[in-house]
Amino acid sequence: MTSPTPDSSRSEKLFARAQELIPGGVNSPVRAFRAVGGTPLFIKSAQGPFITDVDGRRYIDYVGSWGPMILGHADPEIVAALQAVAANGTSFGAPNELEVELAEEIVDAVPSIEMVRMVNSGTEATMSAIRLARGVTGRDKLIKFEGCYHGHADSLLVKAGSGVATLGLPDSPGIPASLAQHTLTVPFNDATAVEDLFKQHDDIAAVIVEPVVGNMGCVQPREGFLQALRELSTQHGALLICDEVMTGFRVARGGAQALYNITPDITCLGKIIGGGLPVGAYGGSRELMRNIAPTGSIYQAGTLSGNPLAMTAGLLTLRRLKDESIYAELERRSAQLCDGLSNIAADAGIKTITNRVGSMWTSFFNDGPVTNWETANRSDRELYGKFFHAMLDEGIYLAPSQFEAGFVSITHTEEIIEQTINEARNAFQGLR
Ligand SMILES: *Cc1c(COP(=O)(O)O)cnc(C)c1O
């Protein structure tokens, strides 16, 4: 590895140090900029729609910590509350009132959830959800969709999206074949393929889906697709798990299940419900959730689960999102952004397809519709990488991968979005 030159940036210096100490210099793979090249920015601070790197450069941020920051960074009310709560202890390993209050907010917002268990990440939520589904059905098999990402638990890291797709990796070594064989995969938006699997296998415990995919870039469900999953699951005695770790409180207060009017058996949450602190949750009917220990025998636990800091950030975020006018406003500004980007790409003669649901979106460098992993994978990643760096030069921070969603927060004002579109005009022109 080459050591940084004396006048290299602080990010370069830190990255060189980090690579000696942390695999790839990062604690989550996509952060390493492998798909777009260059040195990842080390971030020093964030405020509203902006992030500032250790070299003092400020960017308009559309990553939003990969989804949680719907209220923008360092929201003053949340920061003040966190300071006050921290002064009274950061973890008790015993029940606290905030857990009950957050559970009430979640149950109020998502009708399919009557009871909810808090965990510390989205990965834990989906991992626990499939254990619950397997435990109550007494079956082992799962159906998942190619390009959907449900965290990195063994059973779910099969044909996964997000970093696995970004890095073009095969299914990860270290997952026993005897376990992976229980995970059946089919293309997203293909209900017939799901029906065929149900005909071939009578031991399917659950279908797990990102109801709006974010982890191969943003891909909407075709009309009737989610309804078909609901019907097929019920018909064959399997559970439907909606992984709303990204879409929960993002595409609507009630998540994608409210938007598309479906009722899953289990819902996984994360990201927004932690308000930027490490959180996940899974929930469903009382009858189902009572199977979890200590009322039931399906075991799942967590030392830091429900800790007062994470509960506080989540609770205040969800309380603010009770004002549903926020979603109308996010819709308007996200449309402004995506329409603007599409138009200037077309002006520059660059073929893009923009998929968007509410405030999550992806501009694919692709000339056909993107409806599943196969079509997403036809995107021109190299051109995306150039666009990414051109935007970075203009002061706009996008996801360092074609296969991730972008996010708009309530702090992305009309002016900020107008500025983004103007900078993007230069970036697109430069790609010609
Ligand atoms: C982010 C994400 C996860 C994983 O959550 P972590 O907190 O990173 O473990 C799972 N499912 C979906 C849909 C996600 O977007």
Side-chain angles (χ1 to χ4, degrees), residues 317-335:
T317 301
L318 298 201
R319 282 191 179 152
R320 290 266 285 285
L321 294 174
K322 271 186 150 156
D323 172 5
E324 299 223 21
S325 72
I326 285 178
Y327 290 98
E329 189 60 28
L330 283 171
E331 168 68 28
R332 217 172 50 73
R333 296 200 210 148
S334 306

Side-chain angles (χ1 to χ4, degrees), residues 88-89 116 142 151 207 251 267 271 286 289 337 339 379 402:
N88 288 321
V116 60
L142 304 170
V207 177
V251 298
T267 299
K271 299 197 168 111
R286 273 199 193 93
M289 292 302 289
L337 175 70
D339 294 349
S379 305
Q402 172 74 99

Side-chain angles (χ1 to χ4, degrees), residues 33-41 59 382-396 398-400 427 431:
F33 278 26
R34 289 275 168 119
V36 293
T39 305
L41 304 181
Y59 303 84
E382 205 175 310
L383 198 56
Y384 181 82
K386 286 187 184 146
F387 178 65
F388 168 84
H389 279 291
M391 288 292 270
L392 210 55
D393 288 345
E394 301 286 340
I396 314 289
L398 301 174
L431 295 183

Side-chain angles (χ1 to χ4, degrees), residues 28 66 120-126 148-152 162 209-212 214-215 243-247 268-271 278-280 407:
S28 197
W66 305 96
N120 302 292
S121 68
T123 293
E124 268 187 79
T126 55
C148 282
Y149 178 70
H150 304 291
H152 63 87
S162 190
V209 65
E210 286 183 75
V212 175
N215 286 294
D243 179 357
E244 299 229 41
V245 169
M246 188 183 288
T247 53
C268 300
L269 295 168
K271 299 197 168 111
V279 164
F407 300 98

